[in-house]
Amino acid sequence: MSRRPDADVLPGLLLVDKAGGMTSHDVVARARRVLSVRKVGHAGTLDPMATGLLVLGVGTATRLLGYVGGHDKTYEATIRLGQSTVSDDREGEVLATSSTAHVDDDAVRAALAAQTGPLQQVPSSVSAVKVEGRRSYDRVRAGEAVELAPRSVTVHRLDVLRVSRPEPDLIDVDVTVTCTAGTYIRAIARDAGAALGVGGHLTALRRTASGPFAVERAAPVEEAGAALAAGGGEGFLPLAEAAAAVFPTRGVTVEQTRALAYGQRIPATGAPGLHAAIDPGGRLVALLEDSGTTARVTVGFPAA
């Protein structure tokens, strides 16, 4: 298949419902093949085991990804108590097994409640965190002992939906978690299991929301790519609509649009933070931010 210029592709966000077994890079590569373009990126990595919402940017929409990825996330997950693994999820080798026969439901709920609010969370050593320029999981696979520094995260809400006992010595807990970007749900499973003295890991994970975007609007990557090619449909948000979902909008005149294209300033928006400047034709011109009495371009989106 011949590759077309990225400028010929309608820019926007693809809301992809990622299948299990794929890396985020796999999804990006598949989107590039479907669309026959190179300029595709993602906001917020999902582990291969995980399913659910992965936000892709196509063309100039990749300039939005740094702002999209920093939003709060919502996940549905299943935590297994009674086993710890090397990766803190079901894909890693089991390190230890302990009976949960003595652990009641109230203790489970209390241990998970302790994993809410501001936390100093240590990521799994088998994670994508870089250590001196190399991914932590690459160092672990090479036989190195890796200890990662704790990071500040916040778990806004953790709802226990169901506690079950698939075997007498194991407990499975279905939860919904809303948290800041950078939170590791498998670390919550690990730390709750450690607090109970029985170990824990993640057996299922699905991202259902990232900022204003929900998995209900997502589609498999091939379908989302087809929607983009058709100019609209399930899984695709055109550039201006995508920006308006993330930022407050400000209409700009034809004259102001021209000035912004030349890097000039226009009157201030009068409100803090970034604003999406939309021209009379509905095109996203720039992300603007006030600087005194004027607004300046933070990110520009030139006309094709």
Side-chain angles (χ1 to χ4, degrees):
M1 182 183 292
S2 60
R3 191 175 294 281
R4 52 183 169 166
D6 287 359
D8 292 345
V9 178
L10 188 65
L13 296 183
L14 293 185
L15 306 183
V16 173
D17 190 346
K18 186 184 90 65
M22 302 175 68
T23 67
S24 298
H25 180 73
D26 290 338
V27 177
V28 169
R30 190 168 294 187
R32 286 173 176 157
R33 288 195 298 271
V34 168
L35 298 170
S36 246
V37 298
R38 294 190 62 84
K39 200 169 186 179
V40 181
H42 68 79
T45 301
L46 275 178
D47 290 336
M49 182 190 84
T51 66
L53 181 63
L54 184 67
V55 181
L56 305 187
V58 178
T60 54
T62 55
R63 301 178 187 181
L64 292 176
L65 294 178
Y67 303 97
V68 173
H71 281 95
D72 289 349
K73 310 289 194 294
T74 301
Y75 297 91
E76 295 174 352
T78 300
I79 295 169
R80 172 154 291 180
L81 299 172
Q83 291 177 332
S84 58
T85 72
V86 68
S87 59
D88 302 326
D89 62 25
R90 71 164 191 253
E91 297 192 329
E93 177 187 356
V94 175
L95 296 175
T97 299
S98 300
S99 174
T100 61
H102 65 286
V103 179
D104 61 24
D105 289 7
D106 288 342
V108 169
R109 293 176 183 277
L112 288 168
Q115 295 297 314
T116 61
L119 302 173
Q120 287 296 307
Q121 188 181 72
V122 178
S124 168
S125 60
V126 186
S127 70
V129 175
K130 285 191 174 182
V131 180
E132 297 179 355
R134 290 177 59 202
R135 299 291 185 188
S136 179
Y137 55 67
D138 287 333
R139 290 182 174 274
V140 171
R141 288 168 186 162
E144 298 180 32
V146 177
E147 291 187 14
L148 298 176
R151 56 175 59 188
S152 297
V153 301
T154 300
V155 175
H156 301 298
R157 184 168 179 173
L158 193 160
D159 294 328
V160 175
L161 306 179
R162 180 170 175 262
V163 180
S164 61
R165 298 176 186 266
E167 298 178 20
D169 290 333
L170 295 175
I171 296 175
D172 283 350
V173 191
D174 296 333
V175 299
T176 299
V177 182
T178 301
C179 54
T180 54
T183 303
Y184 282 87
I185 309 304
R186 52 185 164 151
I188 291 175
R190 176 200 65 205
D191 294 344
L196 290 166
V198 296
H201 69 281
L202 210 60
T203 61
L205 181 66
R206 180 170 176 79
R207 183 189 287 158
T208 58
S210 177
F213 306 115
V215 75
E216 287 78 12
R217 295 196 63 182
V221 62
E222 292 83 2
E223 293 179 21
L228 183 153
E234 200 70 13
F236 174 63
L237 290 178
L239 186 57
E241 183 182 347
V246 179
F247 305 101
T249 60
R250 170 188 175 172
V252 291
T253 65
V254 172
E255 293 76 15
Q256 289 173 332
T257 298
R258 188 178 300 114
L260 292 171
Y262 285 105
Q264 299 171 3
R265 299 190 178 205
I266 63 174
T269 62
L274 291 171
H275 285 65
I278 309 294
D279 74 7
R283 184 180 71 85
L284 176 66
V285 175
L287 299 182
L288 302 178
E289 189 166 24
D290 286 358
S291 179
T293 59
T294 59
R296 59 180 177 80
V297 174
T298 300
V299 183
F301 297 87

